[in-house]
């Protein structure tokens, strides 16, 4: 298959927090790969900002080391990495201080590129401060873009405050709230599957769909990240952003056009159609010690922590299309496998003509976000051989890596795609401010209700299936979670 690469014009990307974990693990490798395939021109400038004093050589050496560690082997050869590093500049700047801003401005003005983007890969407590300073100092120009990492606020009020401060300096069309889930190939394929095929959309409603499951399971605990995580919890860290965004893409009406505001308007309508969450339809869990790791409370270094490391919930969307179709969401740390997937479970055929045996189960469409992005359709077929009609459930499987061969390597990861969208000025895959606020408005009351209840999240076994109560949440509706497995053949 031929490679389809649309080079962008040279741009200036200022990365605040260039020495941090996210910049090293995700942003730098993403940019380097796009450089290596010729999408990013060599006249581009990547301006790293951090507090330490470094010479250009020191800075380049640090960037080279980070790339060596985090760039998948074979992605770029040594010469390419060397050429890429020529794009790098460093400015020493404490964003809470006065020094360095003029130097940054002078550097940018030396060679004004048409596209100027600021990536805030720093603690969220610094977002407002940096954006206001960029705006007031004139460093951010009218066409500049600002990219914010998650979390976007801690609750509705803080998200509103942050939006207000951002909007005092930037228009909404300049603000890119990054949610890397939306950059995943399968998540975008959800839209292609639904709106570029005629097959599924007629079935995509309460007449044909029994329920939807969204699972984001991780094997890792929070060791080393307890400081952040224990103040957030699974609801804030995963549900309010990634999982709600995915739910919106599954549930939204077809937008009139595939442009940022048409898509985001439809996603917002889904959030607004969500019934308020009933605490009885939610489950919280905390992992126990075991399987080579400490308990949640030990890893959080907070023996009384009431923060959830897992959540399961049942959501209802009250609109014409989804009335009566539950959306079950679950996420957790220290679960059996590292897997993110969506399952659309279809209803069973209305009448069974096979008197002796029943077809195994209704069809299910499974969209795997990780590992190995792909789509599987579970079908019922006749078991081969004599002996009458017995049924088997088999997968029609499409792994993107297998089907698209070498192209998936070129497509790269979610960060690559999203950063290139920022440069192109395409906000379709970024959360709008009102979406973020509406999502907080939905999760806030249940977080408050949990706190009021004073109940401890239910302990669950490390590397198991999650809290017992999450299984019961399904069982009481006569349904089951799909097994948490890494292989897509369940
Ligand atoms: P980090 O602590 O590793 O890096 C923070 C960076 O900010 C460092 O480069 C540090 O030098 C810089 N910094 C801190 N205070 C500064 C100041 N006053 N002036 C200038 N620079 C300053 O953090 P991280 O893990 O890279 O996370 C960055 C952002 O990305 C956070 O908002 C985080 O929530 C978000 N995020 C991170 C990950 C991840 O995997 N690391 C995933 C999702 C979202």
């Amino acid at each position: 298959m031929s490679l389809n690469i649309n080079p962008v014009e040279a741009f200036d990307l200022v990365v605040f927090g260039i020495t941090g974990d996210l910049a090293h693990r995700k942003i730098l490798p993403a940019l380097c790969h796009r450089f290596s395939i010729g999408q990013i021109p060599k006249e581009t400038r990547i301006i790293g900002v951090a507090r330490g004093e470094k010479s250009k050589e020191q800075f380049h050496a640090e960037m080279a080391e980070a790339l060596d560690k985090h760039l998948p082997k074979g992605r770029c050869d040594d010469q390419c990495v060397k050429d890429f590093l020529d794009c790098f500049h460093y400015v020493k700047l404490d964003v809470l201080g006065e020094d360095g801003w003029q130097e940054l401005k002078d550097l940018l003005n030396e060679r004004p590129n048409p596209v100027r983007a600021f990536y805030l890969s720093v603690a969220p407590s610094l977002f407002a401060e940096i954006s206001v300073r960029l705006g007031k100092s004139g460093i951010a120009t009218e066409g500049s873009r600002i990219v914010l990492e998650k979390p976007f606020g801690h609750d509705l009020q803080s998200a509103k405050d942050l939006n207000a401060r951002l909007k005092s300096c930037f228009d909404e069309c300049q603000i890119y709230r990054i949610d890397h889930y939306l950059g995943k190939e399968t998540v975008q394929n959800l839209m292609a599957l639904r709106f570029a095929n005629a097959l599924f959309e007629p079935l995509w409603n309460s007449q044909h769909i029994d329920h939807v499951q969204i699972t984001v399971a991780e094997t890792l605990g929070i060791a080393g990240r307890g400081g952040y995580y224990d103040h957030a919890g699974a609801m804030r860290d995963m549900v309010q952003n990634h999982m709600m965004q995915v739910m919106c893409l599954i549930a939204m009406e077809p937008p009139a056009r595939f442009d940022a505001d048409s898509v985001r308007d439809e996603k917002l309508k889904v959030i607004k159609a969500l019934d308020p969450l009933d605490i009885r339809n939610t489950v919280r869990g905390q992992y126990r010690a075991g399987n080579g790791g400490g308990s949640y409370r030990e890893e959080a270094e907070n023996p009384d922590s009431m923060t959830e490391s897992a959540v399961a919930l049942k959501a209802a969307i009250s609109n014409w299309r989804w009335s009566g179709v539950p959306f079950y969401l679950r996420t957790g740390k220290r679960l059996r496998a590292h897997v993110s997937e969506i399952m659309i479970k279809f209803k069973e055929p209305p009448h069974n003509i096979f008197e002796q045996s029943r077809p195994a189960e209704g069809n299910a469409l499974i969209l795997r976000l990780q590992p190995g992005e792909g789509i599987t359709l579970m079908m019922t077929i006749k078991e081969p051989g004599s002996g009458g009609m017995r049924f088997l459930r088999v997968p029609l499987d499409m792994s993107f890596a297998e089907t698209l061969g070498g192209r998936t390597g070129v497509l790269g990861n979610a960060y690559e795609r999203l950063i290139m969208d920022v440069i192109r000025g395409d906000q379709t895959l970024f959360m709008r401010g009102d979406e973020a606020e509406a999502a907080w408005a939905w999760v806030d009351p249940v977080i408050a209700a949990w706190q009021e209840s004073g109940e401890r999240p239910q302990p669950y076994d490390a590397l198991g299936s999650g809290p017992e109560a999450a299984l019961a949440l399904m069982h009481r509706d006569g349904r089951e979670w799909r097994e948490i497995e890494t292989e897509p053949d369940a």
Side-chain angles (χ1 to χ4, degrees), residues 17 19-22 25 51 93-95 121-122 124 149-151:
T19 56
D21 176 67
L22 185 79
R25 281 193 311 111
R51 288 169 295 183
L93 190 162
D94 182 333
V95 299
S121 182
V122 291
E149 264 299 333
K150 80 161 199 186

Side-chain angles (χ1 to χ4, degrees), residues 213 215 330 336 339 341 465 471 480-487 490:
Q213 297 184 18
T215 300
R330 67 175 162 169
R336 179 173 298 137
V339 57
E341 64 176 28
S465 307
L471 307 180
E480 283 191 353
W481 292 107
R482 201 173 120 76
E483 280 293 314
I484 296 177
E485 291 179 346
T486 40
E487 292 306 317

Side-chain angles (χ1 to χ4, degrees), residues 26-40 46 67 71 75-77 80-85 88 416:
K26 299 289 181 187
I27 302 173
L28 292 177
L31 289 165
C32 187
H33 184 227
R34 291 292 161 148
F35 180 85
S36 75
I37 60 175
Q39 191 167 29
I40 296 180
I46 297 159
L67 285 168
L71 194 65
R75 271 268 159 110
C76 313
D77 60 30
C80 169
V81 170
K82 207 166 158 285
D83 293 344
F84 175 60
L85 289 175
F88 277 72
E416 293 182 27

